[in-house]
PDB file of all heavy atoms in Angstrom:
ATOM      1  N   ASP A   1       7.957   6.775  -1.391  1.00 94.00           N
ATOM      2  CA  ASP A   1       8.740   7.954  -0.955  1.00 94.00           C
ATOM      3  C   ASP A   1       7.953   8.884  -0.122  1.00 94.00           C
ATOM      4  O   ASP A   1       8.337   9.241   1.022  1.00 94.00           O
ATOM      5  CB  ASP A   1       9.277   8.702  -2.190  1.00 94.00           C
ATOM      6  CG  ASP A   1      10.365   9.700  -1.861  1.00 94.00           C
ATOM      7  OD1 ASP A   1      10.177  10.524  -0.911  1.00 94.00           O
ATOM      8  OD2 ASP A   1      11.350   9.837  -2.566  1.00 94.00           O
ATOM      9  N   TYR A   2       6.763   9.251  -0.575  1.00 93.00           N
ATOM     10  CA  TYR A   2       5.936  10.281   0.107  1.00 93.00           C
ATOM     11  C   TYR A   2       5.374   9.756   1.452  1.00 93.00           C
ATOM     12  O   TYR A   2       5.368  10.507   2.425  1.00 93.00           O
ATOM     13  CB  TYR A   2       4.833  10.758  -0.796  1.00 93.00           C
ATOM     14  CG  TYR A   2       4.004  11.920  -0.176  1.00 93.00           C
ATOM     15  CD1 TYR A   2       4.504  13.269  -0.445  1.00 93.00           C
ATOM     16  CD2 TYR A   2       2.943  11.705   0.607  1.00 93.00           C
ATOM     17  CE1 TYR A   2       3.823  14.303   0.133  1.00 93.00           C
ATOM     18  CE2 TYR A   2       2.244  12.811   1.085  1.00 93.00           C
ATOM     19  CZ  TYR A   2       2.685  14.066   0.935  1.00 93.00           C
ATOM     20  OH  TYR A   2       2.024  15.154   1.519  1.00 93.00           O
ATOM     21  N   HIS A   3       5.011   8.530   1.415  1.00 90.00           N
ATOM     22  CA  HIS A   3       4.352   7.937   2.601  1.00 90.00           C
ATOM     23  C   HIS A   3       5.374   7.158   3.470  1.00 90.00           C
ATOM     24  O   HIS A   3       4.996   6.154   4.124  1.00 90.00           O
ATOM     25  CB  HIS A   3       3.127   7.025   2.214  1.00 90.00           C
ATOM     26  CG  HIS A   3       2.034   7.868   1.596  1.00 90.00           C
ATOM     27  ND1 HIS A   3       1.161   8.548   2.340  1.00 90.00           N
ATOM     28  CD2 HIS A   3       1.647   8.021   0.303  1.00 90.00           C
ATOM     29  CE1 HIS A   3       0.263   9.178   1.516  1.00 90.00           C
ATOM     30  NE2 HIS A   3       0.547   8.871   0.316  1.00 90.00           N
ATOM     31  N   GLU A   4       6.566   7.659   3.485  1.00 90.00           N
ATOM     32  CA  GLU A   4       7.618   7.152   4.415  1.00 90.00           C
ATOM     33  C   GLU A   4       7.821   5.578   4.407  1.00 90.00           C
ATOM     34  O   GLU A   4       7.624   4.946   5.421  1.00 90.00           O
ATOM     35  CB  GLU A   4       7.264   7.622   5.864  1.00 90.00           C
ATOM     36  CG  GLU A   4       7.084   9.094   5.984  1.00 90.00           C
ATOM     37  CD  GLU A   4       8.395   9.894   5.741  1.00 90.00           C
ATOM     38  OE1 GLU A   4       9.472   9.226   5.898  1.00 90.00           O
ATOM     39  OE2 GLU A   4       8.255  11.073   5.452  1.00 90.00           O
ATOM     40  N   GLY A   5       8.043   5.081   3.253  1.00 90.00           N
ATOM     41  CA  GLY A   5       8.364   3.701   3.199  1.00 90.00           C
ATOM     42  C   GLY A   5       7.219   2.654   3.048  1.00 90.00           C
ATOM     43  O   GLY A   5       7.427   1.509   3.329  1.00 90.00           O
ATOM     44  N   PHE A   6       6.017   3.149   2.597  1.00 92.00           N
ATOM     45  CA  PHE A   6       4.933   2.174   2.317  1.00 92.00           C
ATOM     46  C   PHE A   6       5.196   1.527   1.034  1.00 92.00           C
ATOM     47  O   PHE A   6       4.955   1.969  -0.089  1.00 92.00           O
ATOM     48  CB  PHE A   6       3.673   2.994   2.215  1.00 92.00           C
ATOM     49  CG  PHE A   6       2.402   2.084   2.181  1.00 92.00           C
ATOM     50  CD1 PHE A   6       1.845   1.613   3.348  1.00 92.00           C
ATOM     51  CD2 PHE A   6       1.859   1.720   0.890  1.00 92.00           C
ATOM     52  CE1 PHE A   6       0.701   0.801   3.268  1.00 92.00           C
ATOM     53  CE2 PHE A   6       0.705   0.917   0.831  1.00 92.00           C
ATOM     54  CZ  PHE A   6       0.193   0.462   2.038  1.00 92.00           C
ATOM     55  N   LYS A   7       5.783   0.354   1.147  1.00 91.00           N
ATOM     56  CA  LYS A   7       6.249  -0.455   0.018  1.00 91.00           C
ATOM     57  C   LYS A   7       5.085  -1.145  -0.821  1.00 91.00           C
ATOM     58  O   LYS A   7       4.022  -1.343  -0.303  1.00 91.00           O
ATOM     59  CB  LYS A   7       7.243  -1.581   0.470  1.00 91.00           C
ATOM     60  CG  LYS A   7       8.425  -1.029   1.161  1.00 91.00           C
ATOM     61  CD  LYS A   7       9.429  -2.098   1.565  1.00 91.00           C
ATOM     62  CE  LYS A   7       8.811  -2.979   2.723  1.00 91.00           C
ATOM     63  NZ  LYS A   7       8.556  -2.244   3.934  1.00 91.00           N
ATOM     64  N   PRO A   8       5.361  -1.512  -2.099  1.00 92.00           N
ATOM     65  CA  PRO A   8       4.350  -2.222  -2.856  1.00 92.00           C
ATOM     66  C   PRO A   8       3.830  -3.465  -2.226  1.00 92.00           C
ATOM     67  O   PRO A   8       2.708  -3.957  -2.531  1.00 92.00           O
ATOM     68  CB  PRO A   8       5.117  -2.523  -4.184  1.00 92.00           C
ATOM     69  CG  PRO A   8       6.093  -1.476  -4.211  1.00 92.00           C
ATOM     70  CD  PRO A   8       6.607  -1.304  -2.848  1.00 92.00           C
ATOM     71  N   THR A   9       4.600  -4.087  -1.363  1.00 93.00           N
ATOM     72  CA  THR A   9       4.154  -5.347  -0.606  1.00 93.00           C
ATOM     73  C   THR A   9       3.357  -5.005   0.545  1.00 93.00           C
ATOM     74  O   THR A   9       2.793  -5.909   1.170  1.00 93.00           O
ATOM     75  CB  THR A   9       5.410  -6.124  -0.298  1.00 93.00           C
ATOM     76  OG1 THR A   9       6.343  -5.303   0.507  1.00 93.00           O
ATOM     77  CG2 THR A   9       6.067  -6.692  -1.481  1.00 93.00           C
ATOM     78  N   ASP A  10       3.306  -3.772   1.043  1.00 94.00           N
ATOM     79  CA  ASP A  10       2.514  -3.399   2.229  1.00 94.00           C
ATOM     80  C   ASP A  10       1.025  -3.302   1.881  1.00 94.00           C
ATOM     81  O   ASP A  10       0.676  -3.131   0.744  1.00 94.00           O
ATOM     82  CB  ASP A  10       3.024  -2.067   2.814  1.00 94.00           C
ATOM     83  CG  ASP A  10       4.452  -2.164   3.362  1.00 94.00           C
ATOM     84  OD1 ASP A  10       4.775  -3.316   3.756  1.00 94.00           O
ATOM     85  OD2 ASP A  10       5.045  -1.130   3.466  1.00 94.00           O
ATOM     86  N   LYS A  11       0.167  -3.458   2.877  1.00 91.00           N
ATOM     87  CA  LYS A  11      -1.242  -3.350   2.687  1.00 91.00           C
ATOM     88  C   LYS A  11      -1.872  -2.512   3.719  1.00 91.00           C
ATOM     89  O   LYS A  11      -1.602  -2.606   4.921  1.00 91.00           O
ATOM     90  CB  LYS A  11      -1.847  -4.812   2.811  1.00 91.00           C
ATOM     91  CG  LYS A  11      -3.304  -4.842   2.406  1.00 91.00           C
ATOM     92  CD  LYS A  11      -3.823  -6.289   2.421  1.00 91.00           C
ATOM     93  CE  LYS A  11      -5.349  -6.349   2.003  1.00 91.00           C
ATOM     94  NZ  LYS A  11      -5.832  -7.707   2.013  1.00 91.00           N
ATOM     95  N   HIS A  12      -2.677  -1.596   3.237  1.00 91.00           N
ATOM     96  CA  HIS A  12      -3.412  -0.608   4.184  1.00 91.00           C
ATOM     97  C   HIS A  12      -4.394  -1.391   5.023  1.00 91.00           C
ATOM     98  O   HIS A  12      -5.080  -2.310   4.551  1.00 91.00           O
ATOM     99  CB  HIS A  12      -4.073   0.394   3.362  1.00 91.00           C
ATOM    100  CG  HIS A  12      -4.705   1.501   4.149  1.00 91.00           C
ATOM    101  ND1 HIS A  12      -4.002   2.478   4.845  1.00 91.00           N
ATOM    102  CD2 HIS A  12      -6.014   1.823   4.439  1.00 91.00           C
ATOM    103  CE1 HIS A  12      -4.799   3.293   5.432  1.00 91.00           C
ATOM    104  NE2 HIS A  12      -6.024   2.898   5.211  1.00 91.00           N
ATOM    105  N   PRO A  13      -4.466  -1.008   6.299  1.00 89.00           N
ATOM    106  CA  PRO A  13      -5.408  -1.776   7.288  1.00 89.00           C
ATOM    107  C   PRO A  13      -6.880  -1.368   6.945  1.00 89.00           C
ATOM    108  O   PRO A  13      -7.140  -0.437   6.285  1.00 89.00           O
ATOM    109  CB  PRO A  13      -4.978  -1.223   8.618  1.00 89.00           C
ATOM    110  CG  PRO A  13      -4.369   0.082   8.351  1.00 89.00           C
ATOM    111  CD  PRO A  13      -3.654  -0.059   7.032  1.00 89.00           C
ATOM    112  N   PRO A  14      -7.873  -2.234   7.426  1.00 88.00           N
ATOM    113  CA  PRO A  14      -9.275  -1.908   7.256  1.00 88.00           C
ATOM    114  C   PRO A  14      -9.634  -0.660   7.966  1.00 88.00           C
ATOM    115  O   PRO A  14      -8.957  -0.169   8.800  1.00 88.00           O
ATOM    116  CB  PRO A  14      -9.919  -3.187   8.011  1.00 88.00           C
ATOM    117  CG  PRO A  14      -8.840  -4.197   8.013  1.00 88.00           C
ATOM    118  CD  PRO A  14      -7.542  -3.514   8.168  1.00 88.00           C
ATOM    119  N   THR A  15     -10.744  -0.090   7.521  1.00 86.00           N
ATOM    120  CA  THR A  15     -11.185   1.153   8.047  1.00 86.00           C
ATOM    121  C   THR A  15     -11.539   1.048   9.517  1.00 86.00           C
ATOM    122  O   THR A  15     -12.221   0.086   9.972  1.00 86.00           O
ATOM    123  CB  THR A  15     -12.512   1.620   7.319  1.00 86.00           C
ATOM    124  OG1 THR A  15     -12.276   1.804   5.955  1.00 86.00           O
ATOM    125  CG2 THR A  15     -13.066   2.964   7.919  1.00 86.00           C
ATOM    126  N   ASP A  16     -11.136   1.952  10.344  1.00 87.00           N
ATOM    127  CA  ASP A  16     -11.306   1.949  11.852  1.00 87.00           C
ATOM    128  C   ASP A  16     -11.194   3.357  12.330  1.00 87.00           C
ATOM    129  O   ASP A  16     -10.057   3.886  12.495  1.00 87.00           O
ATOM    130  CB  ASP A  16     -10.407   0.976  12.531  1.00 87.00           C
ATOM    131  CG  ASP A  16     -10.613   0.945  14.002  1.00 87.00           C
ATOM    132  OD1 ASP A  16     -11.652   1.521  14.462  1.00 87.00           O
ATOM    133  OD2 ASP A  16      -9.802   0.458  14.741  1.00 87.00           O
ATOM    134  N   PHE A  17     -12.298   4.080  12.585  1.00 85.00           N
ATOM    135  CA  PHE A  17     -12.237   5.404  13.090  1.00 85.00           C
ATOM    136  C   PHE A  17     -12.034   5.462  14.560  1.00 85.00           C
ATOM    137  O   PHE A  17     -11.883   6.501  15.200  1.00 85.00           O
ATOM    138  CB  PHE A  17     -13.512   6.156  12.742  1.00 85.00           C
ATOM    139  CG  PHE A  17     -13.594   6.610  11.311  1.00 85.00           C
ATOM    140  CD1 PHE A  17     -14.296   5.868  10.372  1.00 85.00           C
ATOM    141  CD2 PHE A  17     -12.784   7.728  10.803  1.00 85.00           C
ATOM    142  CE1 PHE A  17     -14.337   6.285   9.052  1.00 85.00           C
ATOM    143  CE2 PHE A  17     -12.851   8.075   9.541  1.00 85.00           C
ATOM    144  CZ  PHE A  17     -13.605   7.404   8.586  1.00 85.00           C
ATOM    145  N   GLY A  18     -12.040   4.301  15.261  1.00 88.00           N
ATOM    146  CA  GLY A  18     -11.677   4.198  16.691  1.00 88.00           C
ATOM    147  C   GLY A  18     -12.678   4.799  17.580  1.00 88.00           C
ATOM    148  O   GLY A  18     -13.755   5.268  17.288  1.00 88.00           O
ATOM    149  N   ASP A  19     -12.262   4.933  18.814  1.00 88.00           N
ATOM    150  CA  ASP A  19     -13.105   5.511  19.877  1.00 88.00           C
ATOM    151  C   ASP A  19     -12.612   6.991  20.151  1.00 88.00           C
ATOM    152  O   ASP A  19     -11.549   7.202  20.640  1.00 88.00           O
ATOM    153  CB  ASP A  19     -12.929   4.774  21.177  1.00 88.00           C
ATOM    154  CG  ASP A  19     -13.744   5.269  22.303  1.00 88.00           C
ATOM    155  OD1 ASP A  19     -14.546   6.243  22.081  1.00 88.00           O
ATOM    156  OD2 ASP A  19     -13.629   4.712  23.418  1.00 88.00           O
ATOM    157  N   ILE A  20     -13.452   7.911  19.732  1.00 84.00           N
ATOM    158  CA  ILE A  20     -13.023   9.365  19.779  1.00 84.00           C
ATOM    159  C   ILE A  20     -12.919   9.788  21.305  1.00 84.00           C
ATOM    160  O   ILE A  20     -12.245  10.800  21.528  1.00 84.00           O
ATOM    161  CB  ILE A  20     -14.021  10.290  19.116  1.00 84.00           C
ATOM    162  CG1 ILE A  20     -15.444  10.178  19.703  1.00 84.00           C
ATOM    163  CG2 ILE A  20     -14.043   9.960  17.678  1.00 84.00           C
ATOM    164  CD1 ILE A  20     -16.333  11.145  19.197  1.00 84.00           C
ATOM    165  N   ASN A  21     -13.476   9.041  22.165  1.00 90.00           N
ATOM    166  CA  ASN A  21     -13.338   9.379  23.619  1.00 90.00           C
ATOM    167  C   ASN A  21     -11.905   9.184  24.150  1.00 90.00           C
ATOM    168  O   ASN A  21     -11.647   9.752  25.208  1.00 90.00           O
ATOM    169  CB  ASN A  21     -14.386   8.576  24.414  1.00 90.00           C
ATOM    170  CG  ASN A  21     -15.790   8.904  24.093  1.00 90.00           C
ATOM    171  OD1 ASN A  21     -16.129  10.157  23.942  1.00 90.00           O
ATOM    172  ND2 ASN A  21     -16.629   7.924  23.944  1.00 90.00           N
ATOM    173  N   THR A  22     -11.140   8.563  23.435  1.00 90.00           N
ATOM    174  CA  THR A  22      -9.732   8.270  23.870  1.00 90.00           C
ATOM    175  C   THR A  22      -8.884   9.390  23.396  1.00 90.00           C
ATOM    176  O   THR A  22      -7.698   9.453  23.862  1.00 90.00           O
ATOM    177  CB  THR A  22      -9.263   6.958  23.286  1.00 90.00           C
ATOM    178  OG1 THR A  22      -9.217   6.994  21.908  1.00 90.00           O
ATOM    179  CG2 THR A  22     -10.026   5.715  23.725  1.00 90.00           C
ATOM    180  N   LEU A  23      -9.383  10.341  22.554  1.00 84.00           N
ATOM    181  CA  LEU A  23      -8.582  11.360  22.112  1.00 84.00           C
ATOM    182  C   LEU A  23      -8.612  12.561  23.073  1.00 84.00           C
ATOM    183  O   LEU A  23      -9.709  12.790  23.771  1.00 84.00           O
ATOM    184  CB  LEU A  23      -8.990  11.937  20.717  1.00 84.00           C
ATOM    185  CG  LEU A  23      -8.991  10.880  19.624  1.00 84.00           C
ATOM    186  CD1 LEU A  23      -9.578  11.375  18.330  1.00 84.00           C
ATOM    187  CD2 LEU A  23      -7.604  10.363  19.360  1.00 84.00           C
ATOM    188  N   VAL A  24      -7.638  13.350  23.229  1.00 86.00           N
ATOM    189  CA  VAL A  24      -7.555  14.453  24.231  1.00 86.00           C
ATOM    190  C   VAL A  24      -7.460  15.800  23.534  1.00 86.00           C
ATOM    191  O   VAL A  24      -7.011  15.921  22.374  1.00 86.00           O
ATOM    192  CB  VAL A  24      -6.355  14.264  25.233  1.00 86.00           C
ATOM    193  CG1 VAL A  24      -6.526  12.907  25.895  1.00 86.00           C
ATOM    194  CG2 VAL A  24      -5.056  14.370  24.493  1.00 86.00           C
TER     195      VAL A  24
END
């Protein structure tokens, strides 16, 4: 409910902080 439809069958993706240079 709180996380907008994250069902028991869903799986959180691996950690990835990405490339901060792409943020504006």
Side-chain angles (χ1 to χ4, degrees):
D1 189 314
Y2 187 86
H3 293 282
E4 305 292 338
F6 188 85
K7 301 182 291 296
T9 53
D10 292 335
K11 188 175 181 180
H12 186 71
T15 301
D16 179 11
F17 285 100
D19 180 4
I20 62 171
N21 294 318
T22 62
L23 302 177
V24 301

